[in-house]
Amino acid sequence: MGRKQELGTKGENYVAKYLTSNGYEILDCNWRIREGEIDLIAKSPDGRITFVEVKTRSSEHFGHPLESITKEKAHRLQKLALAWLVMNNKFGEDFKIDCASVILKNGNFEIDYRSDVL
């Protein structure tokens, strides 16, 4: 596993811990089909299926991590979320798409979690 991939995995694990500490239940991690991947899928405390895109960076030298989520990426996330719902017999259930940015600063992770972004 490369350094960039390892950093991404650590960021996703950090966000998963953040979610569970806030009452979420992790349903799936790195769910993948041909069209793409969803980093985390969780059930929120209010019962909503939550799809989470995680962007992890070692710094903000190239901008805020969430700036890398383009209109095309957002559209793909919506399509992937619907595909997951269909494939898991949950189509029609209430869902939301959240984004989390994780930045490594002074050896510690800082999270910027945004709910209901799409």
Side-chain angles (χ1 to χ4, degrees), residues 90-104:
K90 297 190 182 299
F91 191 72
E93 287 194 27
D94 198 17
F95 74 95
K96 63 180 181 159
I97 298 176
D98 296 355
C99 292
S101 113
V102 180
I103 300 172
L104 183 61

Side-chain angles (χ1 to χ4, degrees), residues 40-116:
L40 295 169
I41 303 163
K43 191 170 212 174
S44 70
D46 67 2
R48 291 171 76 190
I49 304 293
T50 306
F51 300 93
V52 185
E53 175 68 11
V54 180
K55 293 294 182 186
T56 307
R57 301 287 185 269
S58 57
S59 73
E60 289 185 74
H61 290 303
F62 299 104
H64 192 277
L66 295 182
E67 291 174 7
S68 67
I69 300 174
T70 63
K71 197 182 289 188
E72 292 80 16
K73 175 70 173 177
H75 184 69
R76 187 173 39 230
L77 283 170
Q78 291 171 324
K79 288 168 63 175
L80 289 167
L82 291 173
W84 187 92
L85 291 168
V86 168
M87 295 173 108
N88 288 275
N89 297 317
K90 297 190 182 299
F91 191 72
E93 287 194 27
D94 198 17
F95 74 95
K96 63 180 181 159
I97 298 176
D98 296 355
C99 292
S101 113
V102 180
I103 300 172
L104 183 61
K105 287 189 179 175
N106 302 320
N108 297 309
F109 285 115
E110 290 185 8
I111 189 170
D112 178 1
Y113 193 90
R114 303 197 186 176
S115 193
D116 274 317

